[in-house]
Amino acid sequence: MMSDAAIARIEEICKEYPNRKSALVPALYVAQREYGGWLPREALREVAEELDLPDSHVYAVASFYSMFFLKPVGQNIIQVCTTSPCELRGARDAVECFKKRLGVGVGETTADGQFTLMEVECLAACDRAPMAQINEDYYLDIDETRANEIVDALSRGEKPPYAEFEKNLGGSHPIAFSDEELGIDVSGIMPAEPVVKKEKPAEAPADAAAKA
Amino acid sequence: MAYEDEPKIIHQHINVPDIRKIGVYEANGGYSAWRKALSEMSGDEVLNEVKASGLGGRGGAWFPTGVKWSFMPKPVFPKYLVCNCDESEPGTFSNREIVLKHPHILLEGFMLGCYAIGCNHGYIYVRGEMMKGYAVLRQALAEARARGYVGKNVLGSGFDLEITLHTGAGAYICGEETALLSSLEGDRGQPRLKPPFPAVAGLYAKPTSVNNVETLSNVAYIIREGADAFKQYGTEEKPGMKIVSVSGHVNRPGNYECPVGTPIRKVLEEYAGGVWKGKELKGFYPGGSSTPMLGPDKLDTPLAPKAIEAAGSILGTAGLCIFDEDTDIVHVAARLIRFYKHESCGKCTPCREGNDWLVAVLRRLDEGRGKDGDLDMLLDMAGNIAGRSFCLLGDAAAAPVVSSIKEFRADFEKRITNPPDEKIFIPLSIANGH
């Protein structure tokens, strides 16, 4: 069962849309966070009930998108981008580094359940290839040293160096977190001065139209 | 002039420390365009200024943004503006940098876009993997709300505006505007039939405009400085700047903002430091992997839509990917098609089945098991996908196959007639059973 906090977050997200179906992808992220990184059937049914959608629709959507896992995965998910621009700059070597270090093949999880290694398609960071998404963070310019440093830190339960997020989100999408949990901070930001509407002479709109 | 000293629009302040924070952004002129629009311009005037600037859609289609906005029927409410931040075209990474470093320039442009079309609730669709970018935007949006730039009765102007950050979950096809709308409505990200176009029946069947991150990030400049200032850059056909993402075998890969019409050679040699390791150029694709590959003889082509088209390719997103002389083009083609096969949404047969077959044949070629007639078969299959698929993904998938065979046919033939002694099997991606 999802926690009250998770249900509250889903309800908060629902307010952003004219219908509850639009909140489905965000709600699946919330559920995936709740269920430890993947979506068992039970989680899909709960989301369906919460959003008042058919089970089949929720399953159809969850199975369409590559970021929802319908089978258990390791605690840490290492996703190396191997699409051509990355591959041209050595993504294949980066995959080998992780394979060697973890002793698993692509698509496999280590025996202790700590790491799953995957290849994924373009992550839009081709300038810093080889790169990988590991849990919630992108890691850039990956070589053997860096790959080992990352795995070492994650094995100790620490955030690796050069992570994008300071906070550990456990691989969950930040949309599954409330503002407070994410540390959204607007303290010290004061409302701006209101604008003063400038009255225009009657011919002004005609001018603008002529200019266009 | 060194690249750093050349004029910029979006990148002008992108490396200012803490430009991500609203105070720093405002200190550099930020949100003055938004204030200007709310105090002295009507929505139509904002729209007309954007139209006059000639700004074209930077997501790859280059359709005039102001014209797109003007297609939306006036008397229908609500209307929606949706920002396409689903950047996932291989070799394209300009949006990611804007969102991570300079989120307010996007938000300000987005607000102006909403005002121009009369939208009171806009959505920014951020690709699922871009988690840090999403978090940066969420902080920036909270700051903008605290300043009163978003919310009820913005700055006392009487204009109400809500902005929601939505997220995808890993699907290239959601960059196609109607697939993006399906995804935003909580469905599988599959494209819809056009017409009706989104301008008439888009999000929730209401008039909708879908605009790219880079397009919207130009709008604040246009409103602040005027359409003429924007038109001093670029070409008559497509004014302004374009951020060129340079990847592959170059010394300095990265994003370079330069006027539309800048020759590819200048971007490669001056900005990106030339082909790496002192090697020669074999070829490149100029606008993301969906655009046909070209050879070194096309290096002097200006990065402008018509010029690139005349050279046999498409400007697209200006994601310029460079191949050095030792590049195994057969493998590059095989790997790119693996991408399209993975990303095909499965809705229409030519794309779903065709890409599967392209992968099968390219894979055997790549592994040195090619047969006579394979090249003609590939071209025949690609010809049955392009133009016959439900959306442009089919055309996109055919482009690297057809163009690589056209430009580098000898490489393919050699792979068939002289298969390597040692099998050079390089595995194609295995993508988690999806």
Side-chain angles (χ1 to χ4, degrees):
Chain A
M1 286 277 285
M2 285 196 278
S3 64
D4 291 347
I7 301 290
R9 178 67 192 140
I10 292 175
E11 288 304 320
E12 195 175 36
I13 292 166
C14 282
K15 286 186 201 143
E16 306 269 341
Y17 307 93
N19 64 46
R20 296 172 76 80
K21 195 178 78 172
S22 280
L24 178 51
V25 165
L28 287 168
Y29 280 122
V30 175
Q32 187 156 282
R33 178 186 174 201
E34 283 288 291
Y35 278 84
W38 70 291
L39 292 167
R41 286 298 171 98
E42 185 194 342
L44 299 179
R45 276 194 294 270
E46 268 188 79
V47 169
E49 197 167 322
E50 183 60 28
L51 297 181
D52 200 16
L53 294 169
D55 287 4
S56 58
H57 181 78
V58 174
Y59 181 77
V61 169
S63 61
F64 183 82
Y65 296 98
S66 66
M67 290 173 69
F68 297 127
F69 301 112
L70 302 178
K71 287 179 187 157
V73 282
Q75 278 171 30
N76 299 288
I77 305 177
I78 298 180
Q79 299 181 305
V80 186
C81 172
T82 59
T83 312
S84 299
C86 272
E87 198 181 42
L88 292 171
R89 295 184 73 88
R92 197 53 58 196
D93 297 336
V95 172
E96 291 306 317
C97 291
F98 285 113
K99 275 164 79 173
K100 192 172 122 195
R101 177 67 169 75
L102 299 171
V104 294
V106 174
E108 294 175 2
T109 301
T110 53
D112 59 5
Q114 274 239 26
F115 294 94
T116 299
L117 179 62
M118 293 176 192
E119 285 184 23
V120 291
E121 300 293 351
C122 189
L123 292 171
C126 324
D127 52 339
R128 303 290 299 277
M131 60 80 56
Q133 174 159 35
I134 302 175
N135 305 332
E136 63 270 20
D137 299 293
Y138 276 19
Y139 294 89
L140 311 168
D141 306 320
I142 293 176
D143 55 14
E144 185 156 18
T145 314
R146 199 165 266 212
N148 286 330
E149 274 175 7
I150 294 167
V151 174
D152 286 342
L154 290 171
S155 302
R156 292 192 301 267
E158 292 166 12
K159 198 86 177 168
Y162 8 93
E164 290 179 296
F165 282 91
E166 279 171 39
K167 197 180 159 77
N168 186 359
L169 305 186
S172 296
H173 195 290
I175 203 166
F177 293 74
S178 67
D179 281 358
E180 203 178 333
E181 285 178 301
L182 265 192
I184 301 291
D185 180 13
V186 292
S187 55
I189 297 179
M190 294 311 198
E193 287 288 304
V195 291
V196 181
K197 284 256 184 197
K198 284 187 190 156
E199 293 304 323
K200 270 190 283 262
E203 67 271 16
D207 276 359
K211 203 175 164 193
Chain B
M1 210 191 301
Y3 171 74
E4 290 71 26
D5 302 325
E6 288 177 19
K8 316 270 188 320
I9 293 179
I10 297 173
H11 279 192
Q12 194 187 352
H13 298 300
I14 201 163
N15 290 318
V16 171
D18 287 333
I19 194 77
R20 235 151 70 163
K21 295 183 177 160
I22 199 161
V24 178
Y25 180 67
E26 286 173 324
N28 287 279
Y31 289 111
S32 58
W34 187 219
R35 295 188 73 93
K36 179 181 173 184
L38 291 172
S39 59
E40 42 187 279
M41 297 170 86
S42 67
D44 277 348
E45 286 170 313
V46 172
L47 192 154
N48 285 329
E49 197 68 28
V50 172
K51 206 186 221 179
S53 76
L55 172 67
R58 264 44 175 178
W62 292 87
F63 191 81
T65 306
V67 176
K68 188 173 188 174
W69 289 351
S70 68
F71 285 158
M72 299 173 76
K74 291 240 178 264
V76 184
F77 296 99
K79 294 184 182 47
Y80 292 107
L81 182 66
V82 177
C83 172
N84 184 345
C85 182
D86 190 56
E87 180 174 63
S88 26
E89 171 80 11
T92 308
F93 41 86
S94 60
N95 296 356
R96 177 171 177 268
E97 187 178 22
I98 295 172
V99 166
L100 283 177
K101 291 187 180 171
H102 211 3
H104 287 289
I105 202 168
L106 167 63
L107 290 179
E108 188 177 7
F110 188 80
M111 293 170 194
L112 288 161
C114 289
Y115 187 67
I117 63 172
C119 158
N120 300 110
H121 194 155
Y123 292 87
I124 300 180
Y125 184 104
V126 186
R127 74 175 288 188
E129 294 89 338
M130 212 187 267
M131 295 190 194
K132 182 65 184 178
Y134 165 87
V136 168
L137 277 173
R138 191 154 147 191
Q139 169 69 29
L141 184 57
E143 292 173 9
R145 190 170 279 125
R147 291 288 282 157
Y149 296 142
V150 186
K152 285 252 175 242
N153 189 16
V154 178
L155 301 179
S157 65
F159 182 68
D160 296 339
L161 178 60
E162 268 313 314
I163 298 177
T164 293
L165 299 178
H166 188 82
T167 169
Y172 167 76
I173 187 60
C174 293
E176 198 279 340
E177 62 177 3
T178 61
L180 186 150
L181 297 175
S182 299
S183 179
L184 183 41
E185 289 180 13
D187 291 321
R188 294 166 76 101
Q190 292 184 317
R192 302 172 180 176
L193 194 66
K194 292 193 270 194
F197 288 89
V200 176
L203 187 63
Y204 310 119
K206 297 293 180 190
T208 302
S209 179
V210 183
N211 295 102
N212 168 265
V213 169
E214 191 183 334
T215 311
L216 292 169
S217 299
N218 275 300
V219 173
Y221 177 91
I222 293 167
I223 298 306
R224 196 176 61 238
E225 310 286 336
D228 290 339
F230 187 78
K231 285 164 84 170
Q232 68 182 304
Y233 305 114
T235 62
E236 201 175 324
E237 176 204 8
K238 292 294 167 197
M241 302 268 190
K242 177 74 189 88
I243 300 172
V244 184
S245 303
V246 189
S247 65
H249 297 148
V250 295
N251 284 313
R252 290 192 299 272
N255 287 312
Y256 299 97
E257 187 178 28
C258 51
V260 174
T262 303
I264 296 172
R265 184 187 296 281
K266 182 171 178 174
V267 175
L268 170 61
E269 293 177 359
E270 288 181 30
Y271 301 164
V275 182
W276 72 355
K277 301 174 183 170
K279 291 189 187 179
E280 295 293 316
L281 175 71
K282 184 182 185 101
F284 58 90
Y285 58 71
S289 62
S290 308
T291 64
M293 295 178 197
L294 298 172
D297 57 314
K298 299 288 167 35
L299 204 53
D300 290 305
T301 311
L303 282 160
K306 276 187 186 151
I308 297 275
E309 205 180 314
S313 190
I314 303 168
L315 180 53
T317 60
L320 175 64
C321 186
I322 301 294
F323 310 132
D324 73 20
E325 57 189 309
D326 297 328
T327 306
D328 178 353
I329 284 290
V330 179
H331 179 70
V332 170
R335 182 63 189 83
L336 282 176
I337 296 309
R338 177 64 184 77
F339 169 82
Y340 291 101
K341 171 186 138 94
H342 180 253
E343 301 300 341
S344 174
C345 80
K347 179 164 180 151
C348 74
T349 313
C351 176
R352 183 187 62 238
E353 303 296 325
N355 280 311
D356 212 37
W357 282 102
L358 286 175
V359 168
V361 177
L362 277 162
R363 182 169 190 160
R364 81 176 177 223
L365 271 169
D366 187 23
E367 293 173 2
R369 296 183 286 110
K371 298 174 184 161
D372 286 341
D374 272 1
L375 299 188
D376 291 335
M377 182 157 67
L378 282 171
L379 292 173
D380 182 53
M381 289 192 292
N384 278 297
I385 301 173
R388 288 169 191 196
S389 304
F390 193 82
C391 77
L392 285 174
L393 194 142
D395 298 63
V401 179
V402 175
S403 64
S404 61
I405 296 176
K406 187 175 150 220
E407 282 296 329
F408 310 104
R409 192 170 181 114
D411 291 39
F412 283 84
E413 282 169 349
K414 198 171 145 208
R415 190 64 67 84
I416 298 172
T417 51
N418 300 312
D421 293 340
E422 224 176 297
K423 200 166 148 189
I424 51 141
F425 176 68
I426 309 171
L428 292 167
S429 171
I430 307 159
N432 188 33
H434 277 283

